[in-house]
Amino acid sequence: MNEHPATAKYATDASRPRYSAMIRKARKDMGITVEKMAEFLDVSYTSVIQWENGKVYPDAVRRAMIKDKLGIDLPERSAV
């Protein structure tokens, strides 16, 4: 399977609401559009949407950038 470099493997159903809701809420609370977040993180609009919909989990580099920009600390994938 060819993955986008900004994404980790598909998340489990149990983890979807937790991290995806965190990303979406923080982004919206700060008034950042999906487009602006994608631009800042150097990923596609689709990648951000997939994170927010719980289909894909951000990789470690993007999690660090999300923490820096949005102030949320996403757990390591194994802890999700």
Side-chain angles (χ1 to χ4, degrees):
M1 172 187 223
N2 290 332
E3 292 181 356
H4 186 282
T7 57
K9 292 186 179 181
Y10 288 117
T12 64
D13 288 338
S15 68
R16 285 182 185 164
R18 185 173 166 194
Y19 80 84
S20 62
M22 289 170 65
I23 294 170
R24 180 180 293 120
K25 182 176 182 338
R27 179 185 60 75
K28 286 184 173 188
D29 286 351
M30 294 186 71
I32 301 170
T33 65
V34 172
E35 292 86 356
K36 288 290 182 187
M37 186 167 165
E39 182 181 317
F40 172 78
L41 298 173
D42 194 31
V43 297
S44 68
Y45 173 94
T46 303
S47 291
V48 175
I49 293 297
Q50 288 178 332
W51 298 339
E52 291 189 356
N53 289 332
K55 294 185 182 223
V56 180
Y57 195 71
D59 68 16
V61 171
R62 294 323 185 277
R63 287 194 313 271
M65 294 171 81
I66 289 168
K67 181 179 180 180
D68 181 55
K69 182 69 172 173
L70 302 178
I72 57 173
D73 193 9
L74 298 174
E76 291 291 324
R77 186 157 189 283
S78 60
V80 174

